[in-house]
Amino acid sequence: MTPRPRTALSRLLRRTVPTPVTSALRRYRDTSAANAPASAVRDSGPSADERLRRYEARTKELLELLTDAQARAAQHEGTLAEAQAQLADAVAERDAARKEVRRLRNHVAIWQRRIKSPSFLRHHHAWVDLGKHYRQDPSPAKERIGELNRKLWVHAYAASHGVALPTIYALAERPEDVDLSRLPDEFVVKSDGGTASKAVLPLRRVGEDRYEWISHDPPRTLSTTEVVEHFQAARAAGASYGPVFAEQLLRPLHGEGLPDDVKIYVAYGKVLHVLLRRPQIIDGRPVTTTRYVDDKGVSLGKVALWGQHSEDIPVPEQLDQMLAVAVRLSLSLPMPLCRVDMYETPDGPVLGEITRTPGAPHFYREDHDLFLGTEWTKAEARLFEDMHQGRSGRPLWGPHADLSMIDDIPGFDAPQA
């Protein structure tokens, strides 16, 4: 161990007697300090203000980058939302297309079966085409089946068979020639041909030259001029043609308003079904509810695949009498099917019209369509057999025939006795 006095002396010597290296370092330091600028001596780096300015500039740059990024993100979000909406629309269109394809395939399958088997719709289309030839029949008016489209011809024909009919008050060639002021307080104005919703106006006098349109909702009144304009517009639209006449307004057996339509489909003597129909005019549009029953008055359910079905329409109390009239008239006409329209009134059943080509979509439930088509074919067979046995191919007028009215109807040929 080195003695303490020697060690202290050595340390003292090292402090007071510099080595060559120590001396050189000191000289370099002193020289550099003397030659350096004052600012360098005071601050060897950026000042605090400079660093703050740099931070603020960098912060501003970053904020601008952030704002741009947020704008881009919002734009992408909008594009994404639009793409998602388009995708949802495309999926909905795809699902709708698949549903429509399934419907069409089912429709095609049904039609394939209907083409191969009896179908009311197929028979009806053929019968409508045949009707075009009936209208070109050069025979006298009383012998033409095509005249069933004309209410006045049907009126005379049914009267010849002793069927009850509304009383006719007035007849004119043009709607403006019917003098409403000379009619009873309640009446119906009709054109000889046309659709029921456009060519029939049930009216009630409520003031001088003011007539309430019965069954119209909301309530509406018309003047004579407006009645004329109604039929003129219907004629221009092809929904009304022929002479115009005014007849008795029928009352229902119970209650107020108008009696329900009872439309009986008859296949040459056999009742196929009965359409109970309740028409109204709501907000200027025809709205109709219907119910189908068989010849016993038993509901058939919703056999028609169109329209508004309602089981609330009652079965007529006079149904048996109506069916008897319909069967009698059907057998008097040389056609496999007709529709006989009746009304139930306090005076008994009253005829509305006879139609050889009932207007409707006629798209029935498949089993019912098959039933109707089969019965149509059987009716054709019965009719052909009767004609083979000597039945005339013309309408058979009844024993009470009075054809004088047809002579007065404009557009009819003079009938032969």
Side-chain angles (χ1 to χ4, degrees):
M1 178 178 293
T2 304
R4 182 178 299 277
R6 187 177 178 180
T7 302
L9 179 61
S10 297
R11 289 198 298 273
L12 178 62
L13 289 174
R14 283 198 295 273
R15 290 197 299 272
T16 59
V17 183
T19 64
V21 175
T22 303
S23 299
L25 288 174
R26 287 175 179 172
R27 286 196 301 272
Y28 175 77
R29 183 187 63 193
D30 295 341
T31 303
S32 298
N35 295 332
S39 61
V41 174
R42 291 192 303 269
D43 188 1
S44 61
S47 67
D49 291 340
E50 180 63 25
R51 289 197 300 272
L52 179 59
R53 284 193 296 271
R54 291 179 183 180
Y55 291 149
E56 289 177 345
R58 184 58 177 164
T59 301
K60 182 178 180 181
E61 181 182 352
L62 291 175
L63 286 174
E64 290 175 351
L65 290 174
L66 177 61
T67 302
D68 182 64
Q70 289 175 336
R72 290 175 179 272
Q75 182 179 2
H76 290 320
E77 287 178 358
T79 304
L80 178 61
E82 182 180 355
Q84 289 174 335
Q86 291 176 351
L87 177 61
D89 291 342
V91 170
E93 290 179 4
R94 180 204 65 188
D95 293 343
R98 287 177 175 175
K99 183 178 180 180
E100 179 65 9
V101 168
R102 289 194 297 269
R103 187 190 70 80
L104 290 175
R105 285 176 176 170
N106 183 57
H107 191 63
V108 168
I110 291 174
W111 268 105
Q112 287 175 338
R113 291 193 293 271
R114 292 185 178 187
I115 290 174
K116 296 177 182 178
S117 60
S119 165
F120 181 90
L121 189 58
R122 180 161 55 85
H123 279 302
H124 186 266
H125 282 318
W127 190 238
V128 170
D129 290 338
L130 186 61
K132 299 175 183 177
H133 298 282
Y134 282 138
R135 290 196 293 272
Q136 299 171 2
D137 190 343
S139 304
K142 73 181 184 67
E143 298 182 8
R144 294 197 292 256
I145 300 175
E147 300 299 350
L148 278 171
N149 285 344
R150 306 187 66 167
K151 298 180 180 65
L152 294 170
W153 188 96
V154 170
H155 191 284
Y157 184 77
S160 76
H161 286 275
V163 177
L165 294 148
T167 302
I168 294 180
Y169 299 134
L171 171 65
E173 187 170 359
R174 303 178 307 166
E176 53 266 40
D177 295 332
V178 177
D179 187 355
L180 303 185
S181 66
R182 299 175 64 86
L183 300 177
D185 287 342
E186 295 181 338
F187 54 90
V188 182
V189 182
K190 297 181 178 181
S191 64
D192 193 27
T195 60
S197 61
K198 300 293 185 181
V200 177
L201 271 183
L203 301 173
R204 177 185 296 116
R205 183 179 288 105
V206 292
E208 185 176 355
D209 196 32
R210 299 306 301 175
Y211 303 93
E212 177 190 354
W213 187 341
I214 301 173
S215 80
H216 194 288
D217 184 18
R220 182 181 175 188
T221 60
L222 304 173
S223 65
T224 300
T225 300
E226 289 172 321
V227 170
V228 171
E229 290 174 348
H230 173 88
F231 280 96
Q232 289 175 338
R235 288 186 179 217
S240 171
Y241 57 88
V244 176
F245 61 100
E247 71 176 18
Q248 173 188 3
L249 177 72
L250 299 177
R251 288 292 186 181
L253 182 61
H254 302 292
E256 298 296 328
L258 299 175
D260 295 329
D261 294 340
V262 182
K263 298 179 179 292
I264 306 168
Y265 286 68
V266 195
Y268 195 59
K270 179 174 181 177
V271 175
L272 303 185
H273 65 220
V274 180
L275 165 59
L276 307 178
R277 181 174 176 272
R278 180 169 293 173
Q280 287 181 295
I281 303 295
I282 299 179
D283 294 330
R285 298 184 303 106
V287 177
T288 302
T289 53
T290 60
R291 181 187 182 192
Y292 287 81
V293 300
D294 64 12
D295 58 347
K296 305 299 184 192
V298 178
S299 176
L300 296 174
K302 189 172 174 54
V303 293
L305 304 183
W306 76 94
Q308 299 183 22
H309 176 80
S310 174
E311 290 291 327
D312 294 334
I313 304 176
V315 176
E317 298 176 18
Q318 302 167 357
L319 181 61
D320 289 343
Q321 297 169 259
M322 294 178 172
L323 298 181
V325 171
V327 168
R328 187 165 80 250
L329 291 175
S330 169
L331 291 172
S332 72
L333 295 167
M335 57 183 64
L337 183 126
C338 69
R339 192 190 73 198
V340 180
D341 297 356
M342 304 288 294
Y343 297 101
E344 185 176 47
T345 77
D347 298 324
V350 176
L351 181 75
E353 61 179 289
I354 307 171
T355 308
R356 58 178 177 78
T357 52
H362 294 303
F363 197 73
Y364 298 102
R365 199 176 59 205
E366 189 173 359
D367 61 323
H368 194 63
D369 180 73
L370 177 63
F371 163 73
L372 297 176
T374 301
E375 292 302 325
W376 190 312
T377 301
K378 292 179 181 179
E380 286 180 337
R382 293 195 300 272
L383 174 60
F384 291 155
E385 178 61 24
D386 284 355
M387 293 179 69
H388 179 71
Q389 297 295 330
R391 188 212 189 282
S392 170
R394 299 290 182 180
L396 303 178
W397 289 76
H400 310 289
D402 179 6
L403 306 182
S404 60
M405 186 180 68
I406 292 183
D407 290 324
D408 299 330
I409 300 175
F412 278 113
D413 299 330
Q416 297 179 2

